[in-house]
Amino acid sequence: PRLLSQFFFADERVTRVVAEINGLDAELDPQQYLVLLNQLHVSQAHLLAVLERIMDECIPTQRHSRDYLIKFPEELLVDNLGNHMLFAAECLLAGTFLEVEESDGAQLRPQARNLLCSLELVRTVLREQSLNQPNSYPEPVRAVLIQFDRLFAEFELSYVSSLVAVKSPEEIYRQQEIIVLFCETVERALHLGYLTQEMIDGYEPLLMFTIPRLAIISGLLIYPEGPLSLERSPEEMSRVFSPFYNLLRKIRDLLWVLSAEELCLLERSLCTAE
């Protein structure tokens, strides 16, 4: 159950697979080479997972901030992102630019080198610690973990930033505005009886259509200074709504001529229509 013992055996597996790959002629046995590459991927992922748990246990208050993850596209926020970053660093150090432009890769290589050197130091220190005192984390061990955690975070942010367009602080704020709008829309719909708490608690599928529809009306009429404010230019709106700027103006113009009774009837119909 000791994390350092788990790390020792995970590290052994990585070392063994790397040795097998180095001793294999990939041209003579390409199928076995691919099998070993997959084993390396799996064993490295397990090693990083154990290392992550060790850092949570050893340096919980000294972990480098990962707030930048909110800037990443959602499709990148997967469980194996850390292992992908490690593979990217190894490719960069070998001079292979699989996903980034060569100029970006050249700038990232020093960070990749520092990260991989730090990982090797962590592996050495933790192996020694697991053999000597597997129940403690002395200051030298904590220091190398803090350094590795920082270098990993810095490389991850730099690499992803060169790979995709990360969200700007303004776009993140606009998304938060949309979250607030949806929350206020749900609260208003509950108050007016358009929705019930049972529908929300039961994850009623119809809500996937109902809440966005009601949010558009709320954003145009009830909270006109919020994320659907048409006083902004399309470029100033969230990318969720900016493509529909002209359509939103037409919807707002139609809503303005409705009476209170007609608006209520419209909103109720939006809660039932498919």
Side-chain angles (χ1 to χ4, degrees), residues 33-46:
Y33 181 72
L34 292 177
V35 170
L36 290 175
L37 279 182
N38 182 65
Q39 290 181 7
L40 179 61
H41 177 80
V42 173
S43 60
Q44 284 183 331
H46 179 60

Side-chain angles (χ1 to χ4, degrees), residues 7-8 11-12 122-131:
F7 182 88
F8 177 86
D11 186 74
E12 283 280 286
V122 165
R123 291 177 62 183
T124 299
V125 169
L126 290 184
R127 281 175 63 90
E128 293 176 355
Q129 188 65 25
S130 66
L131 293 172

